[in-house]
Amino acid sequence: MLRLRANAVAKFKSHIAGGELRATITAATSARKYSTESPLPESADVVIIGGGSAGCNTLYQLAKRGVRAVLLEKSKLTAGTTWHTAGLVWRLRPNDVEIRLLAATRDLLMSLEEETGHNSGWINNGGLFISHSPERLDEYSRLATLGKCFGIESHIVGPEQAQKLFPPLDPTSFTGALYSPGDGVVDPAMMCTALTKGATANGGLVVEDCTVSQIITGENLLGMKDVRGVLTNKGTIRTNTVVNATGVWGRDLIEPLGVFLPLIPMKHAYVVSETMDTIHQMLPNVRDHDFSLYFRIQGKSICMGGYENNPIMLNRVPGDFHFGLYDLDYSVFDTHIQGAVKLCPAFGSAGIKSTICGPESFTPDHKPLMGPDPTVSGLFHSVGYNSAGMMLGGGCAEQLAQWIIHDRPDRHMFAYDVRRFTPKQKKALNWATERSHEAYTKNYSIVFPHDEPLAGRNFTVDPFHKQMIQYGAVMEERHGWERPGYFLPDETVVVQPYDWYGYYDHPKNANTHYEEALKGDYTFGFSEHHDLIGEEALTCRHDAALFNLSYFCKLFLTGSQAKEAAEWIFTANLDKPINKTIYTCALNKRGGVEGDVTVSIVESGLGGLHDPIFKGRGYYIVAGGASAYHTKCHILAAIQEKAFRAVVSDHTEELGVLSLQGPKSREILQKITDFDLSNEKLLPMNSTAILTIKINPHYSCHVRVLRVSFVGELGYELHIPEESCNDVYNALMKAGYKESLRNAGYRALYSLSSEKGYHLWGSDLRSDDTPIEANLGFVCRKEGEYQGKEIVDRQRENGVSRRLAFFTLREQVPIWGLEAVYRDGEIVGHLRRGEYGYTLQKPIGQAYVQRADSSPITNQFLQSGHYQIEVMGKLYDADCHLRSPFDPKGERMLGIYK
């Protein structure tokens, strides 16, 4: 029986005052010998505010690269959330970028002592993930497969084997486990001391007891705020770059600047057991995702914590809460104790000697908030680590240093980039609180390929939203927008207001229809909706389908230097006639693809939202919705840096978009317009025009039509002013009734686009991929200058050692991305994207194939060899294609159907 000591909190506080944990506090403040009591420097290249894991790691990485950086800490190093963290470091995550970030942290921790002479506090005792269900073991198999691609050793083991690794476990309480011997734990105080020692040896400066009261800003020539310095209780430092690494206080300092972050402080806790005879430091740490708890080994004790459904959320954390703790609320924490006793009965009889409950900062998607602030030039963020600052700190700081010095990081950091949230989202505290709560409670949930949040829904809806629901749309959420995933026939599925999982006196929703629909995707096999999505996709191929693309980014670039700006930002040749539409990339300085968009050359119109009035030549830019704000920020940053006299007008929320695709699309659209669509000279492939749509005999409206396709069919995108959206939608559905027109969602859209071989930014095309690697050299002009061109030209001449290829499986096995790709028995990459090609009747995926010897990769190399894809630990034969085998000549988009 569990022995809960009534005086656990009091005893823990006495330990801090004069007992066992005094050493922890002493170690936490011991790094001050690397701080300075001398006056502040007058200036610095970079000022870092906050002396926790994020700040110390950033100082180390910048100083190592020769940057004059100063770290300012209002108390002592590790104050705030760092000093009381559990310090767990895992190696496996369901994301290749995160695996690399974790590896960078681990490598740093293992090398710090040799570099600095100070032990980093790293202990390599391994990690054990516990499973209670077949689905969880499937998830672990996927993790193990992805780990192989990065040389990470891991093994699926049975309960008895797991017990041998961790003897106190009850093998009858679980079904299996994943063992990762390279996992470990780190002491936060020792780590920060080693980091600051390494930083100061390279010229970095640490100043403790230094409170920043203001970030001083000015205004640049283009009217944007920029950083000029910081004001502190010890004086002023001139600087053009400030890093906000203030943890749970991440919102407080910057809000006077008009900068907002979706960061929610919560109480997060763990308990420390009495010493246990069966425990020693080299036993692996344990993570039981199904019970939502973890064990961290600390000497002969177990530190146990987890993620509950009813965490205690905080509005603000007091500014002087430096090394403070809260009393533990056992009514919240008890769920973890019950699970821990089931998993490890010995824990229940050991008793608890101390409790640790401190503030932690959490975010709407349980990812950090990093990178440059889009509204204040020179302000960078590194906050919101969701209790994972120890394991991500080193890798993230390395990327942030690259971001500061070279304008972009090495890795594809979009999932952490603060620009993944729109200004509207960042200002909406209620939305951020809901989403952060759900992200916290689902932190240990199985990461299925298709799942949707229940919190913060209907935040932004497009003009067609009600009609989508009426036609049975099961909605997805991306970038704060609702979009249709697929359509259930003869059903209406409404996303309900968030019920907080029934906690905080909220009654649980009685209508669970939406949640039940989501459960059909809680599998790593084929979805329950697989055939239904296939019907939508095949209708598009055989007849016509209507896709709602309204949340896509829609920008007009105008101004006296719009042409110069467009040519610098985009890779393609934009010296084209008016009304031509061009597919192109926008690159960073490293040659990585920051976005792929269509740019239409337009002239001044009549004044409508879709047809604005402006001087000279303009550009209508359309980009994917999930990265809309990121795309806009990239364009604006390039204009700012070059000081182009150009203006970007955002019409994303003011224009709806319907994409009519399929062999019968022209026939359907022709019924509601007098524009001669059959005349290829008037509206050829990849062009735009203003059309008059006849709603009824007495009423018509104007829309911008782009003849483009994201699915590889004859098709048209209608960009419609908001006030006309419902009428145009109804007119299209009526016109297409006899031609079997149906609504189709994004699940079908992505299947069709993958089958056609089109890229999806964020998965098979990212900021760490170049156009040459992605087989997009054809959209990069050879004449003139554009950002990143030097890299493209060099790779075009010298070749690249990795390239995108397509793979089809010979067996009917679902793939979702992250599966390892083998060539002649050697791993050469992993699937970035996995779909089912309903027309090909095969699973299809995309992967970047890497040559081990780093020599240029050729078509001959790609086409030779025997390929296999590893799915759930089993190898399946696959065929490699240089391009998708579907309609390789692109005839269907031209309306040529045989």
Side-chain angles (χ1 to χ4, degrees), residues 355-659:
T355 66
I356 295 86
C357 181
E360 285 280 1
S361 55
F362 295 91
T363 62
D365 54 6
H366 219 74
K367 306 286 187 187
L369 302 169
M370 289 183 60
D373 190 272
T375 60
V376 179
S377 178
L379 175 61
F380 287 77
H381 302 289
S382 184
V383 295
Y385 278 87
N386 301 276
S387 196
M390 292 299 104
M391 67 179 82
L392 290 171
C396 285
E398 184 177 47
Q399 294 306 307
L400 186 62
Q402 299 282 359
W403 225 325
I404 293 169
I405 298 168
H406 301 295
D407 192 52
R408 289 301 296 159
D410 293 329
R411 305 292 177 205
H412 178 68
M413 297 295 288
F414 176 73
Y416 291 8
D417 192 331
V418 69
R419 294 172 295 181
R420 71 188 185 273
F421 295 113
T422 66
K424 180 179 175 181
Q425 289 173 302
K426 285 184 281 191
K427 289 181 181 179
L429 184 60
N430 289 340
W431 175 86
T433 302
E434 279 193 16
R435 289 295 295 268
S436 298
H437 170 265
E438 186 180 32
Y440 180 102
T441 64
K442 293 182 69 174
N443 183 39
Y444 279 4
S445 297
I446 297 175
V447 182
F448 288 112
H450 293 285
D451 191 13
E452 295 297 325
L454 301 176
R457 297 299 296 269
N458 296 321
F459 182 71
T460 305
V461 297
D462 63 58
F464 306 108
H465 183 73
K466 290 183 179 179
Q467 289 156 311
M468 297 293 100
I469 298 298
Q470 290 169 358
Y471 275 93
V474 177
M475 305 301 287
E476 302 175 343
E477 186 273 343
R478 297 294 184 275
H479 210 42
W481 287 75
E482 297 290 317
R483 70 179 197 183
Y486 55 90
F487 291 80
L488 293 173
D490 304 318
E491 294 187 55
T492 300
V493 182
V494 179
V495 180
Q496 301 299 302
Y498 189 47
D499 65 7
W500 300 85
Y501 289 69
Y503 289 95
Y504 314 114
D505 297 324
H506 286 269
K508 295 202 73 172
N509 287 325
N511 183 341
T512 61
H513 198 181
Y514 182 74
E515 295 175 53
E516 293 302 317
L518 294 184
K519 289 179 182 178
D521 285 318
Y522 289 174
T523 176
F524 293 104
F526 287 117
S527 163
E528 287 183 11
H529 315 295
H530 177 79
D531 291 340
L532 182 64
I533 295 165
E535 291 174 10
E536 294 179 9
L538 292 175
T539 298
C540 181
R541 294 281 187 236
H542 300 315
D543 298 303
L546 193 61
F547 299 92
N548 178 7
L549 308 185
S550 296
Y551 91 123
F552 271 33
C553 178
K554 300 171 282 287
L555 310 172
F556 280 97
L557 173 63
T558 59
S560 62
Q561 289 189 306
K563 181 176 184 292
E564 290 85 347
E567 289 178 345
W568 172 250
I569 295 167
F570 300 114
T571 61
N573 179 11
L574 300 183
D575 187 16
K576 300 292 184 180
I578 294 295
N579 292 333
K580 180 66 176 174
T581 299
I582 303 105
Y583 172 69
T584 181
C585 291
L587 309 183
N588 55 45
K589 294 175 182 177
R590 297 175 182 271
V593 180
E594 292 292 337
D596 63 328
V597 306
T598 60
V599 177
S600 298
I601 317 299
V602 295
E603 59 186 347
S604 182
L606 299 177
L609 293 170
H610 60 295
D611 194 26
I613 298 172
F614 53 86
K615 292 182 179 180
R617 171 178 284 217
Y619 302 86
Y620 182 50
I621 302 163
V622 181
S627 55
Y629 187 58
H630 172 91
T631 303
K632 177 182 175 181
C633 288
H634 176 77
I635 293 170
L636 289 173
I639 291 172
Q640 287 273 345
E641 183 179 12
K642 289 288 189 177
F644 290 120
R645 292 188 294 276
V647 176
V648 175
S649 303
D650 190 345
H651 292 230
T652 299
E653 293 200 30
E654 300 166 315
L655 293 172
V657 179
L658 294 175
S659 181

